mmCIF file of all heavy atoms in Angstrom:
data_model
loop_
_atom_site.group_PDB
_atom_site.id
_atom_site.type_symbol
_atom_site.label_atom_id
_atom_site.label_comp_id
_atom_site.label_asym_id
_atom_site.label_seq_id
_atom_site.Cartn_x
_atom_site.Cartn_y
_atom_site.Cartn_z
ATOM 1 N N ARG A 56 -7.509 -7.829 -2.459
ATOM 2 C CA ARG A 56 -6.761 -8.873 -3.284
ATOM 3 C C ARG A 56 -6.444 -8.264 -4.701
ATOM 4 O O ARG A 56 -7.202 -7.542 -5.295
ATOM 5 C CB ARG A 56 -7.425 -10.079 -3.295
ATOM 6 C CG ARG A 56 -8.682 -10.197 -4.141
ATOM 7 C CD ARG A 56 -9.278 -11.722 -4.271
ATOM 8 N NE ARG A 56 -10.287 -11.573 -5.127
ATOM 9 C CZ ARG A 56 -10.181 -11.766 -6.550
ATOM 10 N NH1 ARG A 56 -9.070 -11.923 -7.007
ATOM 11 N NH2 ARG A 56 -11.222 -11.655 -7.406
ATOM 12 N N PHE A 57 -5.306 -8.749 -5.309
ATOM 13 C CA PHE A 57 -4.975 -8.452 -6.639
ATOM 14 C C PHE A 57 -5.862 -9.383 -7.517
ATOM 15 O O PHE A 57 -6.067 -10.565 -7.147
ATOM 16 C CB PHE A 57 -3.519 -8.864 -6.913
ATOM 17 C CG PHE A 57 -3.132 -8.519 -8.251
ATOM 18 C CD1 PHE A 57 -2.881 -7.278 -8.811
ATOM 19 C CD2 PHE A 57 -2.913 -9.576 -9.200
ATOM 20 C CE1 PHE A 57 -2.599 -6.977 -9.963
ATOM 21 C CE2 PHE A 57 -2.652 -9.292 -10.565
ATOM 22 C CZ PHE A 57 -2.361 -8.060 -10.940
ATOM 23 N N ARG A 58 -6.405 -8.907 -8.502
ATOM 24 C CA ARG A 58 -7.294 -9.738 -9.399
ATOM 25 C C ARG A 58 -6.459 -10.483 -10.431
ATOM 26 O O ARG A 58 -6.381 -10.137 -11.559
ATOM 27 C CB ARG A 58 -8.328 -8.730 -10.142
ATOM 28 C CG ARG A 58 -9.440 -8.220 -9.284
ATOM 29 C CD ARG A 58 -10.506 -7.594 -9.959
ATOM 30 N NE ARG A 58 -11.287 -8.654 -10.643
ATOM 31 C CZ ARG A 58 -11.640 -8.530 -11.945
ATOM 32 N NH1 ARG A 58 -11.399 -7.494 -12.720
ATOM 33 N NH2 ARG A 58 -12.436 -9.415 -12.518
ATOM 34 N N TRP A 59 -5.927 -11.651 -9.830
ATOM 35 C CA TRP A 59 -5.200 -12.467 -10.659
ATOM 36 C C TRP A 59 -5.897 -12.983 -11.911
ATOM 37 O O TRP A 59 -5.281 -13.107 -12.996
ATOM 38 C CB TRP A 59 -4.679 -13.638 -9.849
ATOM 39 C CG TRP A 59 -3.644 -13.298 -8.863
ATOM 40 C CD1 TRP A 59 -3.858 -13.243 -7.511
ATOM 41 C CD2 TRP A 59 -2.292 -12.913 -9.063
ATOM 42 N NE1 TRP A 59 -2.709 -12.797 -6.930
ATOM 43 C CE2 TRP A 59 -1.758 -12.614 -7.828
ATOM 44 C CE3 TRP A 59 -1.445 -12.687 -10.193
ATOM 45 C CZ2 TRP A 59 -0.362 -12.172 -7.649
ATOM 46 C CZ3 TRP A 59 -0.189 -12.352 -9.958
ATOM 47 C CH2 TRP A 59 0.346 -12.011 -8.808
ATOM 48 N N GLU A 60 -7.263 -13.154 -11.827
ATOM 49 C CA GLU A 60 -7.991 -13.646 -12.952
ATOM 50 C C GLU A 60 -8.142 -12.620 -14.093
ATOM 51 O O GLU A 60 -8.417 -12.930 -15.253
ATOM 52 C CB GLU A 60 -9.406 -14.002 -12.476
ATOM 53 C CG GLU A 60 -10.328 -12.925 -12.100
ATOM 54 C CD GLU A 60 -10.105 -12.480 -10.522
ATOM 55 O OE1 GLU A 60 -9.066 -12.715 -9.991
ATOM 56 O OE2 GLU A 60 -11.058 -11.780 -10.064
ATOM 57 N N ALA A 61 -7.765 -11.389 -13.814
ATOM 58 C CA ALA A 61 -7.800 -10.294 -14.865
ATOM 59 C C ALA A 61 -6.317 -9.804 -15.220
ATOM 60 O O ALA A 61 -6.169 -8.862 -15.894
ATOM 61 C CB ALA A 61 -8.608 -9.113 -14.345
ATOM 62 N N HIS A 62 -5.414 -10.608 -14.705
ATOM 63 C CA HIS A 62 -3.902 -10.306 -14.993
ATOM 64 C C HIS A 62 -3.733 -10.205 -16.506
ATOM 65 O O HIS A 62 -4.202 -11.152 -17.275
ATOM 66 C CB HIS A 62 -2.993 -11.323 -14.358
ATOM 67 C CG HIS A 62 -1.514 -10.996 -14.411
ATOM 68 N ND1 HIS A 62 -1.112 -9.760 -14.092
ATOM 69 C CD2 HIS A 62 -0.483 -11.701 -14.750
ATOM 70 C CE1 HIS A 62 0.230 -9.771 -14.253
ATOM 71 N NE2 HIS A 62 0.605 -10.859 -14.747
ATOM 72 N N GLY A 63 -3.042 -9.343 -16.929
ATOM 73 C CA GLY A 63 -2.856 -9.117 -18.366
ATOM 74 C C GLY A 63 -3.788 -8.018 -19.016
ATOM 75 O O GLY A 63 -3.700 -7.648 -20.196
ATOM 76 N N ALA A 64 -4.779 -7.581 -18.167
ATOM 77 C CA ALA A 64 -5.694 -6.597 -18.664
ATOM 78 C C ALA A 64 -4.839 -5.297 -18.737
ATOM 79 O O ALA A 64 -3.763 -5.147 -18.438
ATOM 80 C CB ALA A 64 -6.802 -6.348 -17.609
ATOM 81 N N ALA A 65 -5.511 -4.234 -19.341
ATOM 82 C CA ALA A 65 -4.814 -2.924 -19.586
ATOM 83 C C ALA A 65 -4.314 -2.359 -18.285
ATOM 84 O O ALA A 65 -3.322 -1.588 -18.445
ATOM 85 C CB ALA A 65 -5.884 -2.024 -20.350
ATOM 86 N N GLN A 66 -4.996 -2.601 -17.230
ATOM 87 C CA GLN A 66 -4.543 -1.917 -15.970
ATOM 88 C C GLN A 66 -4.568 -2.991 -14.933
ATOM 89 O O GLN A 66 -5.564 -3.967 -14.932
ATOM 90 C CB GLN A 66 -5.337 -0.750 -15.632
ATOM 91 C CG GLN A 66 -6.768 -0.964 -15.163
ATOM 92 C CD GLN A 66 -7.442 0.429 -14.906
ATOM 93 O OE1 GLN A 66 -6.992 1.437 -15.262
ATOM 94 N NE2 GLN A 66 -8.536 0.311 -14.251
ATOM 95 N N ALA A 67 -3.655 -2.962 -14.011
ATOM 96 C CA ALA A 67 -3.646 -3.888 -12.809
ATOM 97 C C ALA A 67 -4.800 -3.474 -11.963
ATOM 98 O O ALA A 67 -5.085 -2.354 -11.709
ATOM 99 C CB ALA A 67 -2.330 -3.799 -12.123
ATOM 100 N N GLU A 68 -5.544 -4.562 -11.374
ATOM 101 C CA GLU A 68 -6.744 -4.264 -10.476
ATOM 102 C C GLU A 68 -6.630 -4.944 -9.247
ATOM 103 O O GLU A 68 -6.126 -5.926 -9.111
ATOM 104 C CB GLU A 68 -8.048 -4.770 -11.294
ATOM 105 C CG GLU A 68 -8.363 -3.997 -12.581
ATOM 106 C CD GLU A 68 -9.460 -4.543 -13.275
ATOM 107 O OE1 GLU A 68 -9.979 -5.629 -12.916
ATOM 108 O OE2 GLU A 68 -9.980 -3.912 -14.235
ATOM 109 N N ARG A 69 -7.238 -4.428 -8.285
ATOM 110 C CA ARG A 69 -7.449 -4.938 -6.946
ATOM 111 C C ARG A 69 -8.964 -4.862 -6.643
ATOM 112 O O ARG A 69 -9.698 -4.018 -7.298
ATOM 113 C CB ARG A 69 -6.577 -4.314 -5.818
ATOM 114 C CG ARG A 69 -5.132 -4.624 -5.913
ATOM 115 C CD ARG A 69 -4.491 -4.184 -4.677
ATOM 116 N NE ARG A 69 -3.048 -4.741 -4.633
ATOM 117 C CZ ARG A 69 -2.679 -5.898 -4.012
ATOM 118 N NH1 ARG A 69 -3.479 -6.597 -3.394
ATOM 119 N NH2 ARG A 69 -1.390 -6.163 -4.105
ATOM 120 N N VAL A 70 -9.454 -5.626 -5.663
ATOM 121 C CA VAL A 70 -10.866 -5.562 -5.403
ATOM 122 C C VAL A 70 -10.893 -6.014 -3.868
ATOM 123 O O VAL A 70 -10.030 -6.790 -3.336
ATOM 124 C CB VAL A 70 -11.658 -6.663 -6.202
ATOM 125 C CG1 VAL A 70 -11.201 -8.099 -5.997
ATOM 126 C CG2 VAL A 70 -13.105 -6.521 -5.939
#
Side-chain angles (χ1 to χ4, degrees):
R56 72 172 187 86
F57 182 76
R58 289 191 71 228
W59 291 106
E60 69 275 22
H62 188 51
Q66 67 182 19
E68 298 174 345
R69 285 194 175 264
V70 63

